[in-house]
Short mmCIF file of all heavy atoms in Angstrom, two decimals:
data_model
loop_
_atom_site.label_atom_id
_atom_site.label_comp_id
_atom_site.label_asym_id
_atom_site.label_seq_id
_atom_site.Cartn_x
_atom_site.Cartn_y
_atom_site.Cartn_z
N ARG A 8 22.47 -7.53 110.12
CA ARG A 8 23.55 -6.57 110.13
C ARG A 8 23.81 -6.13 108.75
O ARG A 8 24.11 -6.96 107.83
CB ARG A 8 24.74 -7.17 110.84
CG ARG A 8 25.87 -6.43 110.73
CD ARG A 8 27.04 -7.20 111.55
NE ARG A 8 28.24 -6.77 111.02
CZ ARG A 8 29.39 -7.24 111.51
NH1 ARG A 8 29.50 -8.16 112.49
NH2 ARG A 8 30.48 -6.89 110.88
N GLY A 9 23.95 -4.89 108.44
CA GLY A 9 24.39 -4.35 107.07
C GLY A 9 25.88 -4.35 106.85
O GLY A 9 26.58 -4.03 107.82
N LEU A 10 26.30 -4.87 105.74
CA LEU A 10 27.69 -4.85 105.47
C LEU A 10 28.13 -3.59 104.84
O LEU A 10 29.23 -3.23 104.72
CB LEU A 10 28.11 -6.01 104.65
CG LEU A 10 27.92 -7.30 105.11
CD1 LEU A 10 28.22 -8.36 104.01
CD2 LEU A 10 28.75 -7.56 106.44
N GLY A 11 27.13 -2.70 104.44
CA GLY A 11 27.37 -1.47 103.70
C GLY A 11 28.04 -1.81 102.29
O GLY A 11 27.58 -2.83 101.72
N ASP A 12 28.83 -1.06 101.87
CA ASP A 12 29.44 -1.32 100.50
C ASP A 12 30.54 -2.22 100.56
O ASP A 12 31.46 -2.17 101.46
CB ASP A 12 29.95 0.04 99.85
CG ASP A 12 28.90 1.02 99.66
OD1 ASP A 12 27.73 0.60 99.37
OD2 ASP A 12 29.18 2.29 99.70
N VAL A 13 30.61 -3.19 99.68
CA VAL A 13 31.71 -4.16 99.58
C VAL A 13 32.70 -3.73 98.60
O VAL A 13 32.49 -3.69 97.41
CB VAL A 13 31.16 -5.59 99.10
CG1 VAL A 13 32.18 -6.63 99.01
CG2 VAL A 13 30.02 -6.05 100.03
N TYR A 14 33.82 -3.26 99.19
CA TYR A 14 34.94 -2.57 98.29
C TYR A 14 35.93 -3.67 97.77
O TYR A 14 36.38 -3.48 96.54
CB TYR A 14 35.75 -1.65 99.02
CG TYR A 14 34.83 -0.32 99.45
CD1 TYR A 14 34.35 -0.21 100.69
CD2 TYR A 14 34.61 0.61 98.48
CE1 TYR A 14 33.57 1.00 101.04
CE2 TYR A 14 33.82 1.75 98.74
CZ TYR A 14 33.37 1.86 100.06
OH TYR A 14 32.52 2.94 100.39
N LYS A 15 36.28 -4.59 98.57
CA LYS A 15 37.28 -5.57 98.08
C LYS A 15 36.82 -6.67 97.30
O LYS A 15 37.46 -7.60 96.91
CB LYS A 15 38.11 -6.07 99.26
CG LYS A 15 38.80 -4.98 100.05
CD LYS A 15 39.57 -5.52 101.16
CE LYS A 15 40.36 -4.37 101.90
NZ LYS A 15 41.07 -4.77 102.98
N ARG A 16 35.44 -6.67 97.06
CA ARG A 16 34.70 -7.67 96.31
C ARG A 16 34.74 -9.14 96.91
O ARG A 16 34.30 -10.09 96.35
CB ARG A 16 35.30 -7.72 94.86
CG ARG A 16 35.19 -6.39 94.18
CD ARG A 16 35.32 -6.48 92.71
NE ARG A 16 34.26 -6.98 91.91
CZ ARG A 16 33.08 -6.30 91.63
NH1 ARG A 16 32.93 -5.06 92.13
NH2 ARG A 16 32.15 -6.91 90.93
N GLN A 17 35.15 -9.18 98.11
CA GLN A 17 35.09 -10.46 98.91
C GLN A 17 34.94 -10.15 100.38
O GLN A 17 35.58 -9.13 100.90
CB GLN A 17 36.39 -11.24 98.64
CG GLN A 17 36.49 -12.55 99.36
CD GLN A 17 37.71 -13.36 99.13
OE1 GLN A 17 38.04 -13.59 97.95
NE2 GLN A 17 38.47 -13.73 100.08
N TYR A 18 34.20 -10.98 101.09
CA TYR A 18 34.01 -10.96 102.51
C TYR A 18 33.80 -12.30 103.01
O TYR A 18 33.30 -13.13 102.39
CB TYR A 18 32.62 -10.05 102.74
CG TYR A 18 32.47 -9.65 104.22
CD1 TYR A 18 33.05 -8.50 104.73
CD2 TYR A 18 31.73 -10.39 105.08
CE1 TYR A 18 32.85 -8.10 106.01
CE2 TYR A 18 31.47 -10.15 106.34
CZ TYR A 18 32.07 -8.93 106.82
OH TYR A 18 31.96 -8.60 108.05
N GLN A 19 34.25 -12.43 104.24
CA GLN A 19 34.08 -13.86 104.87
C GLN A 19 33.19 -13.78 106.09
O GLN A 19 33.40 -12.84 106.99
CB GLN A 19 35.43 -14.43 105.31
CG GLN A 19 35.27 -15.86 105.91
CD GLN A 19 36.72 -16.51 106.01
OE1 GLN A 19 37.10 -16.93 105.02
NE2 GLN A 19 37.11 -16.54 107.16
N PHE A 20 32.27 -14.63 106.16
CA PHE A 20 31.37 -14.81 107.26
C PHE A 20 31.67 -15.93 108.18
O PHE A 20 32.14 -16.98 107.62
CB PHE A 20 29.86 -15.08 106.79
CG PHE A 20 29.22 -13.90 106.18
CD1 PHE A 20 29.31 -13.65 104.83
CD2 PHE A 20 28.37 -13.06 107.03
CE1 PHE A 20 28.69 -12.41 104.29
CE2 PHE A 20 27.67 -11.95 106.37
CZ PHE A 20 27.89 -11.68 105.00
N ARG A 21 31.48 -15.76 109.37
CA ARG A 21 31.66 -16.90 110.44
C ARG A 21 30.29 -17.08 111.00
O ARG A 21 29.73 -16.17 111.59
CB ARG A 21 32.78 -16.51 111.51
CG ARG A 21 32.93 -17.79 112.38
CD ARG A 21 33.78 -17.39 113.56
NE ARG A 21 33.04 -16.51 114.48
CZ ARG A 21 33.56 -15.81 115.44
NH1 ARG A 21 34.79 -15.76 115.68
NH2 ARG A 21 32.80 -15.00 116.23
N LEU A 22 29.76 -18.19 110.90
CA LEU A 22 28.53 -18.67 111.54
C LEU A 22 28.82 -19.66 112.56
O LEU A 22 29.54 -20.70 112.32
CB LEU A 22 27.59 -19.17 110.48
CG LEU A 22 27.32 -18.31 109.33
CD1 LEU A 22 26.40 -19.11 108.26
CD2 LEU A 22 26.74 -17.02 109.60
N THR A 23 28.26 -19.64 113.64
CA THR A 23 28.44 -20.56 114.83
C THR A 23 27.19 -21.43 114.91
O THR A 23 26.12 -20.93 115.12
CB THR A 23 28.74 -19.77 116.13
OG1 THR A 23 29.78 -19.00 115.96
CG2 THR A 23 29.05 -20.89 117.29
N ALA A 24 27.43 -22.74 114.78
CA ALA A 24 26.26 -23.73 114.77
C ALA A 24 26.86 -25.15 115.08
O ALA A 24 28.00 -25.44 114.78
CB ALA A 24 25.48 -23.73 113.59
N ALA A 25 25.95 -25.98 115.70
CA ALA A 25 26.38 -27.39 115.92
C ALA A 25 26.63 -28.08 114.62
O ALA A 25 27.54 -29.04 114.60
CB ALA A 25 25.48 -28.05 116.79
N GLU A 26 25.81 -27.92 113.58
CA GLU A 26 25.95 -28.52 112.30
C GLU A 26 26.09 -27.43 111.25
O GLU A 26 25.75 -26.34 111.42
CB GLU A 26 24.81 -29.29 112.02
CG GLU A 26 24.57 -30.55 112.91
CD GLU A 26 23.36 -31.39 112.62
OE1 GLU A 26 22.69 -31.14 111.58
OE2 GLU A 26 23.04 -32.17 113.45
N ARG A 27 26.70 -27.85 110.05
CA ARG A 27 26.91 -26.86 109.00
C ARG A 27 25.63 -26.30 108.57
O ARG A 27 24.66 -27.00 108.12
CB ARG A 27 27.62 -27.65 107.83
CG ARG A 27 27.82 -26.70 106.66
CD ARG A 27 28.61 -27.41 105.62
NE ARG A 27 28.63 -26.73 104.30
CZ ARG A 27 29.16 -27.11 103.20
NH1 ARG A 27 29.84 -28.21 103.23
NH2 ARG A 27 29.07 -26.44 102.11
N PRO A 28 25.47 -25.01 108.60
CA PRO A 28 24.33 -24.31 108.30
C PRO A 28 24.25 -24.03 106.60
O PRO A 28 25.37 -24.11 106.06
CB PRO A 28 24.35 -22.92 108.87
CG PRO A 28 25.80 -22.69 109.08
CD PRO A 28 26.46 -24.11 109.21
N ALA A 29 23.16 -23.94 106.05
CA ALA A 29 23.16 -23.54 104.65
C ALA A 29 23.16 -22.01 104.58
O ALA A 29 22.37 -21.33 105.28
CB ALA A 29 21.85 -24.02 104.03
N PHE A 30 24.04 -21.47 103.82
CA PHE A 30 24.26 -20.01 103.78
C PHE A 30 24.08 -19.59 102.34
O PHE A 30 24.85 -20.30 101.41
CB PHE A 30 25.61 -19.61 104.32
CG PHE A 30 25.78 -18.12 104.45
CD1 PHE A 30 25.09 -17.36 105.32
CD2 PHE A 30 26.83 -17.58 103.66
CE1 PHE A 30 25.24 -15.97 105.40
CE2 PHE A 30 26.99 -16.15 103.67
CZ PHE A 30 26.25 -15.40 104.65
N ALA A 31 23.30 -18.72 102.02
CA ALA A 31 23.06 -18.39 100.57
C ALA A 31 22.85 -16.88 100.29
O ALA A 31 22.35 -16.11 101.15
CB ALA A 31 21.85 -19.07 100.07
N ALA A 32 23.22 -16.41 99.09
CA ALA A 32 23.02 -15.14 98.59
C ALA A 32 21.69 -15.04 97.94
O ALA A 32 21.21 -16.00 97.37
CB ALA A 32 24.17 -14.62 97.62
N GLY A 33 20.91 -13.86 98.09
CA GLY A 33 19.78 -13.71 97.63
C GLY A 33 19.68 -13.23 96.12
O GLY A 33 18.57 -12.98 95.64
N SER A 34 20.87 -13.00 95.54
CA SER A 34 20.86 -12.61 94.18
C SER A 34 22.12 -13.13 93.45
O SER A 34 23.09 -13.39 94.12
CB SER A 34 20.75 -11.11 94.06
OG SER A 34 22.10 -10.45 93.77
N PRO A 35 22.12 -13.17 92.09
CA PRO A 35 23.29 -13.71 91.43
C PRO A 35 24.46 -12.68 91.36
O PRO A 35 25.53 -12.94 90.84
CB PRO A 35 22.78 -13.97 89.97
CG PRO A 35 21.60 -13.13 89.83
CD PRO A 35 21.00 -12.91 91.25
N SER A 36 24.31 -11.54 92.02
CA SER A 36 25.40 -10.49 92.09
C SER A 36 26.40 -11.00 93.06
O SER A 36 27.55 -10.32 93.01
CB SER A 36 24.78 -9.11 92.46
OG SER A 36 23.95 -8.67 91.49
N PHE A 37 26.19 -11.90 93.85
CA PHE A 37 27.12 -12.45 94.82
C PHE A 37 27.10 -14.02 94.73
O PHE A 37 26.12 -14.55 94.56
CB PHE A 37 26.80 -11.99 96.22
CG PHE A 37 26.93 -10.62 96.54
CD1 PHE A 37 25.86 -9.65 96.14
CD2 PHE A 37 28.06 -10.01 97.11
CE1 PHE A 37 26.03 -8.27 96.43
CE2 PHE A 37 28.19 -8.66 97.38
CZ PHE A 37 27.25 -7.88 96.98
N THR A 38 28.33 -14.54 94.92
CA THR A 38 28.42 -15.96 95.06
C THR A 38 28.92 -16.31 96.47
O THR A 38 29.61 -15.45 97.10
CB THR A 38 29.43 -16.66 94.00
OG1 THR A 38 30.67 -16.03 94.25
CG2 THR A 38 28.93 -16.32 92.66
N VAL A 39 28.46 -17.50 97.00
CA VAL A 39 28.90 -17.99 98.26
C VAL A 39 29.78 -19.30 98.14
O VAL A 39 29.26 -20.12 97.39
CB VAL A 39 27.74 -18.16 99.22
CG1 VAL A 39 28.06 -18.84 100.47
CG2 VAL A 39 26.88 -16.98 99.36
N GLU A 40 30.81 -19.25 98.74
CA GLU A 40 31.70 -20.44 98.80
C GLU A 40 31.99 -20.94 100.12
O GLU A 40 32.37 -20.15 101.11
CB GLU A 40 33.04 -20.08 98.10
CG GLU A 40 34.18 -21.02 98.08
CD GLU A 40 35.50 -20.42 97.60
OE1 GLU A 40 35.52 -19.26 97.26
OE2 GLU A 40 36.48 -21.17 97.67
N TYR A 41 31.74 -22.22 100.53
CA TYR A 41 32.14 -22.77 101.77
C TYR A 41 33.52 -22.77 102.02
O TYR A 41 34.37 -23.20 101.01
CB TYR A 41 31.56 -24.20 101.92
CG TYR A 41 31.94 -24.91 103.08
CD1 TYR A 41 31.58 -24.57 104.31
CD2 TYR A 41 32.78 -26.04 103.02
CE1 TYR A 41 31.96 -25.20 105.52
CE2 TYR A 41 33.12 -26.71 104.17
CZ TYR A 41 32.82 -26.29 105.38
OH TYR A 41 33.10 -26.88 106.54
N ALA A 42 34.08 -22.34 103.04
CA ALA A 42 35.49 -22.11 103.24
C ALA A 42 36.06 -23.06 104.46
O ALA A 42 37.18 -22.82 104.80
CB ALA A 42 35.87 -20.68 103.50
N GLY A 43 35.18 -23.84 105.01
CA GLY A 43 35.75 -24.79 106.05
C GLY A 43 35.24 -24.40 107.37
O GLY A 43 34.38 -23.46 107.53
N ASN A 44 35.61 -25.19 108.41
CA ASN A 44 35.07 -25.02 109.77
C ASN A 44 36.19 -25.33 110.77
O ASN A 44 37.25 -25.97 110.46
CB ASN A 44 33.83 -25.83 110.09
CG ASN A 44 34.15 -27.27 110.26
OD1 ASN A 44 34.58 -27.92 109.34
ND2 ASN A 44 33.83 -27.79 111.53
N GLU A 45 35.97 -24.73 111.88
CA GLU A 45 36.95 -24.97 113.16
C GLU A 45 35.89 -25.25 114.23
O GLU A 45 35.23 -24.22 114.71
CB GLU A 45 37.82 -23.85 113.32
CG GLU A 45 38.83 -23.58 112.31
CD GLU A 45 39.78 -22.49 112.61
OE1 GLU A 45 39.87 -22.04 113.83
OE2 GLU A 45 40.40 -21.97 111.66
N GLY A 46 35.67 -26.44 114.65
CA GLY A 46 34.67 -26.81 115.65
C GLY A 46 33.30 -26.40 115.25
O GLY A 46 32.81 -26.76 114.09
N ASN A 47 32.71 -25.58 116.06
CA ASN A 47 31.34 -25.17 115.70
C ASN A 47 31.29 -23.85 114.90
O ASN A 47 30.24 -23.27 114.67
CB ASN A 47 30.47 -24.94 116.93
CG ASN A 47 30.05 -26.28 117.51
OD1 ASN A 47 30.06 -27.32 116.90
ND2 ASN A 47 29.65 -26.17 118.79
N ASP A 48 32.49 -23.35 114.45
CA ASP A 48 32.50 -22.14 113.66
C ASP A 48 32.59 -22.49 112.13
O ASP A 48 33.58 -23.21 111.82
CB ASP A 48 33.67 -21.23 114.04
CG ASP A 48 33.52 -20.50 115.34
OD1 ASP A 48 32.34 -20.34 115.73
OD2 ASP A 48 34.44 -20.26 116.01
N TRP A 49 31.68 -22.06 111.36
CA TRP A 49 31.65 -22.41 109.90
C TRP A 49 31.96 -21.12 109.10
O TRP A 49 31.35 -20.04 109.42
CB TRP A 49 30.29 -23.00 109.57
CG TRP A 49 30.02 -24.21 110.41
CD1 TRP A 49 29.39 -24.14 111.71
CD2 TRP A 49 30.22 -25.48 110.15
NE1 TRP A 49 29.19 -25.34 112.11
CE2 TRP A 49 29.64 -26.27 111.21
CE3 TRP A 49 30.67 -26.17 109.02
CZ2 TRP A 49 29.80 -27.65 111.28
CZ3 TRP A 49 30.75 -27.60 109.05
CH2 TRP A 49 30.26 -28.26 110.23
N PHE A 50 32.81 -21.25 108.13
CA PHE A 50 33.24 -20.06 107.41
C PHE A 50 32.73 -20.06 105.97
O PHE A 50 32.93 -21.14 105.31
CB PHE A 50 34.78 -19.92 107.41
CG PHE A 50 35.30 -19.69 108.88
CD1 PHE A 50 35.68 -20.84 109.56
CD2 PHE A 50 35.35 -18.48 109.36
CE1 PHE A 50 36.03 -20.76 110.88
CE2 PHE A 50 35.88 -18.41 110.75
CZ PHE A 50 36.18 -19.59 111.41
N PHE A 51 32.26 -19.03 105.38
CA PHE A 51 31.74 -18.84 104.12
C PHE A 51 32.34 -17.54 103.50
O PHE A 51 32.18 -16.42 103.99
CB PHE A 51 30.12 -18.81 104.09
CG PHE A 51 29.53 -19.96 104.55
CD1 PHE A 51 29.40 -20.25 105.93
CD2 PHE A 51 29.15 -21.05 103.60
CE1 PHE A 51 28.68 -21.37 106.46
CE2 PHE A 51 28.49 -22.20 104.18
CZ PHE A 51 28.36 -22.44 105.52
N LYS A 52 32.83 -17.70 102.26
CA LYS A 52 33.37 -16.59 101.52
C LYS A 52 32.34 -16.13 100.69
O LYS A 52 31.73 -16.92 99.85
CB LYS A 52 34.70 -16.91 100.84
CG LYS A 52 35.82 -17.07 101.68
CD LYS A 52 37.14 -17.37 101.00
CE LYS A 52 38.25 -17.57 101.92
NZ LYS A 52 39.46 -17.82 101.20
N VAL A 53 32.17 -14.73 100.58
CA VAL A 53 31.15 -14.22 99.67
C VAL A 53 31.91 -13.32 98.55
O VAL A 53 32.72 -12.58 99.05
CB VAL A 53 30.15 -13.24 100.48
CG1 VAL A 53 29.27 -12.53 99.50
CG2 VAL A 53 29.36 -14.14 101.30
N HIS A 54 31.65 -13.57 97.32
CA HIS A 54 32.28 -12.87 96.27
C HIS A 54 31.39 -11.88 95.58
O HIS A 54 30.30 -12.49 95.10
CB HIS A 54 33.03 -13.88 95.28
CG HIS A 54 33.90 -14.72 95.90
ND1 HIS A 54 35.25 -14.48 96.17
CD2 HIS A 54 33.75 -15.99 96.38
CE1 HIS A 54 35.82 -15.56 96.72
NE2 HIS A 54 34.96 -16.49 96.89
N ALA A 55 31.70 -10.79 95.32
CA ALA A 55 30.93 -9.76 94.55
C ALA A 55 31.25 -9.98 93.08
O ALA A 55 32.32 -9.76 92.67
CB ALA A 55 31.11 -8.34 94.95
N VAL A 56 30.24 -10.37 92.30
CA VAL A 56 30.41 -10.69 90.95
C VAL A 56 29.64 -9.86 90.01
O VAL A 56 29.64 -9.83 88.80
CB VAL A 56 30.28 -12.24 90.62
CG1 VAL A 56 31.28 -13.15 91.34
CG2 VAL A 56 28.82 -12.56 90.95
N GLY A 57 28.75 -9.02 90.63
CA GLY A 57 27.88 -8.07 89.85
C GLY A 57 28.55 -6.80 89.60
O GLY A 57 29.74 -6.61 89.75
N LYS A 58 27.72 -5.81 89.36
CA LYS A 58 28.31 -4.54 88.99
C LYS A 58 27.92 -3.48 90.23
O LYS A 58 27.19 -3.88 91.09
CB LYS A 58 27.53 -4.01 87.68
CG LYS A 58 26.07 -3.78 87.73
CD LYS A 58 25.59 -3.32 86.37
CE LYS A 58 24.15 -2.91 86.37
NZ LYS A 58 23.20 -3.66 87.09
N ALA A 59 28.76 -2.42 90.15
CA ALA A 59 28.49 -1.41 91.19
C ALA A 59 26.96 -1.00 91.38
O ALA A 59 26.36 -0.81 90.40
CB ALA A 59 29.33 -0.17 90.85
N GLY A 60 26.61 -0.93 92.61
CA GLY A 60 25.23 -0.65 92.89
C GLY A 60 24.38 -1.81 93.10
O GLY A 60 23.33 -1.70 93.79
N ASP A 61 24.79 -3.07 92.67
CA ASP A 61 24.00 -4.30 92.96
C ASP A 61 24.13 -4.55 94.49
O ASP A 61 25.13 -4.31 95.12
CB ASP A 61 24.59 -5.41 92.20
CG ASP A 61 24.32 -5.36 90.72
OD1 ASP A 61 23.57 -4.53 90.18
OD2 ASP A 61 24.88 -6.35 90.00
N GLY A 62 23.03 -5.08 94.97
CA GLY A 62 22.99 -5.48 96.42
C GLY A 62 22.08 -6.68 96.54
O GLY A 62 21.41 -7.10 95.61
N CYS A 63 22.29 -7.24 97.78
CA CYS A 63 21.50 -8.50 98.07
C CYS A 63 21.53 -8.73 99.51
O CYS A 63 22.40 -8.36 100.23
CB CYS A 63 21.77 -9.70 97.15
SG CYS A 63 23.12 -10.65 97.83
N GLY A 64 20.55 -9.68 99.94
CA GLY A 64 20.58 -10.12 101.24
C GLY A 64 21.23 -11.43 101.37
O GLY A 64 21.38 -12.15 100.39
N PHE A 65 21.64 -11.91 102.50
CA PHE A 65 22.19 -13.23 102.67
C PHE A 65 21.44 -13.96 103.82
O PHE A 65 20.94 -13.33 104.74
CB PHE A 65 23.77 -13.15 103.25
CG PHE A 65 24.48 -12.44 102.18
CD1 PHE A 65 24.73 -11.05 102.25
CD2 PHE A 65 25.11 -13.14 101.19
CE1 PHE A 65 25.53 -10.37 101.14
CE2 PHE A 65 25.87 -12.61 100.16
CZ PHE A 65 26.02 -11.24 100.12
N TYR A 66 21.18 -15.26 103.58
CA TYR A 66 20.18 -16.02 104.36
C TYR A 66 20.81 -17.33 104.89
O TYR A 66 21.62 -17.85 104.27
CB TYR A 66 19.07 -16.32 103.30
CG TYR A 66 18.37 -15.21 102.76
CD1 TYR A 66 18.87 -14.53 101.59
CD2 TYR A 66 17.27 -14.54 103.32
CE1 TYR A 66 18.28 -13.38 101.05
CE2 TYR A 66 16.65 -13.46 102.83
CZ TYR A 66 17.13 -12.85 101.73
OH TYR A 66 16.59 -11.75 101.14
N ILE A 67 20.35 -17.68 106.04
CA ILE A 67 20.84 -18.87 106.81
C ILE A 67 19.59 -19.85 106.73
O ILE A 67 18.56 -19.43 107.24
CB ILE A 67 21.29 -18.57 108.22
CG1 ILE A 67 22.50 -17.56 108.06
CG2 ILE A 67 21.68 -19.95 108.90
CD1 ILE A 67 22.98 -17.16 109.51
N ASN A 68 19.90 -21.09 106.33
CA ASN A 68 18.94 -22.12 106.41
C ASN A 68 17.55 -21.82 105.77
O ASN A 68 16.47 -22.29 106.29
CB ASN A 68 18.74 -22.64 107.78
CG ASN A 68 20.01 -23.21 108.43
OD1 ASN A 68 20.85 -23.77 107.59
ND2 ASN A 68 20.21 -23.24 109.70
N GLY A 69 17.55 -21.09 104.72
CA GLY A 69 16.32 -20.74 103.93
C GLY A 69 15.46 -19.77 104.67
O GLY A 69 14.19 -19.69 104.37
N ALA A 70 15.92 -19.06 105.72
CA ALA A 70 14.98 -18.05 106.38
C ALA A 70 14.45 -16.99 105.41
O ALA A 70 15.02 -16.68 104.41
CB ALA A 70 15.84 -17.38 107.43
N SER A 71 13.30 -16.45 105.74
CA SER A 71 12.71 -15.50 104.91
C SER A 71 13.27 -14.13 105.07
O SER A 71 13.18 -13.22 104.25
CB SER A 71 11.19 -15.44 105.29
OG SER A 71 10.97 -15.06 106.47
N ALA A 72 13.98 -13.88 106.19
CA ALA A 72 14.64 -12.58 106.39
C ALA A 72 16.12 -12.72 106.21
O ALA A 72 16.68 -13.63 106.80
CB ALA A 72 14.16 -11.93 107.71
N PRO A 73 16.85 -11.70 105.63
CA PRO A 73 18.23 -11.83 105.53
C PRO A 73 18.99 -11.50 106.91
O PRO A 73 18.39 -10.75 107.70
CB PRO A 73 18.62 -10.76 104.49
CG PRO A 73 17.50 -9.74 104.64
CD PRO A 73 16.21 -10.51 104.99
N VAL A 74 20.09 -12.14 107.10
CA VAL A 74 20.92 -11.92 108.28
C VAL A 74 21.87 -10.76 108.12
O VAL A 74 22.41 -10.11 109.02
CB VAL A 74 21.65 -13.16 108.81
CG1 VAL A 74 20.62 -14.11 109.29
CG2 VAL A 74 22.51 -13.69 107.75
N ALA A 75 22.04 -10.41 106.83
CA ALA A 75 22.98 -9.33 106.40
C ALA A 75 22.57 -8.86 104.98
O ALA A 75 22.02 -9.56 104.25
CB ALA A 75 24.42 -9.80 106.46
N VAL A 76 22.88 -7.60 104.71
CA VAL A 76 22.69 -7.07 103.36
C VAL A 76 24.00 -6.30 102.89
O VAL A 76 24.75 -5.77 103.66
CB VAL A 76 21.57 -6.08 103.43
CG1 VAL A 76 21.39 -5.37 102.10
CG2 VAL A 76 20.36 -6.66 103.86
N ALA A 77 24.27 -6.53 101.60
CA ALA A 77 25.58 -5.85 101.09
C ALA A 77 25.30 -5.20 99.75
O ALA A 77 24.25 -5.57 99.05
CB ALA A 77 26.72 -6.88 100.96
N THR A 78 26.14 -4.23 99.51
CA THR A 78 25.97 -3.43 98.19
C THR A 78 27.32 -3.37 97.53
O THR A 78 28.35 -3.13 98.28
CB THR A 78 25.40 -2.03 98.34
OG1 THR A 78 24.20 -2.01 99.04
CG2 THR A 78 25.34 -1.32 97.07
N ILE A 79 27.54 -3.58 96.32
CA ILE A 79 28.86 -3.57 95.60
C ILE A 79 29.07 -2.10 95.38
O ILE A 79 28.37 -1.41 94.74
CB ILE A 79 28.74 -4.30 94.32
CG1 ILE A 79 28.50 -5.79 94.55
CG2 ILE A 79 30.06 -4.27 93.56
CD1 ILE A 79 28.30 -6.70 93.38
N ALA A 80 30.18 -1.68 95.79
CA ALA A 80 30.66 -0.22 95.56
C ALA A 80 31.41 -0.08 94.30
O ALA A 80 31.92 -0.91 93.65
CB ALA A 80 31.56 0.20 96.72
#
């Protein structure tokens, strides 16, 4: 799923899984911070730290295809 342009420089993902998944940004333009869980819902905050126009994909458990893509506006 595409996130489009990230305007607020921060976005939170909710992933549903029995165990904590590994969630990672595919470029240094974004950082990922674990934000806790509620039952099987795991929350990760993504911070845009690059410059406007930078983009990247986000990956779960080392998958080769991203589950989402974002661009810094």
Side-chain angles (χ1 to χ4, degrees):
R8 168 177 154 184
L10 297 178
D12 293 334
V13 178
Y14 291 102
K15 296 183 181 180
R16 303 195 73 78
Q17 180 176 305
Y18 189 86
Q19 182 166 283
F20 285 86
R21 180 186 74 192
L22 306 178
T23 303
E26 295 182 7
R27 179 177 165 176
F30 187 66
S34 98
S36 296
F37 291 83
T38 61
V39 175
E40 171 189 358
Y41 172 65
N44 74 296
E45 293 180 19
N47 287 340
D48 290 332
W49 303 85
F50 300 92
F51 295 87
K52 290 183 182 177
V53 171
H54 303 272
V56 296
K58 62 184 187 322
D61 287 352
C63 85
F65 297 92
Y66 301 84
I67 298 173
N68 295 332
S71 61
V74 295
V76 176
T78 303
I79 300 172

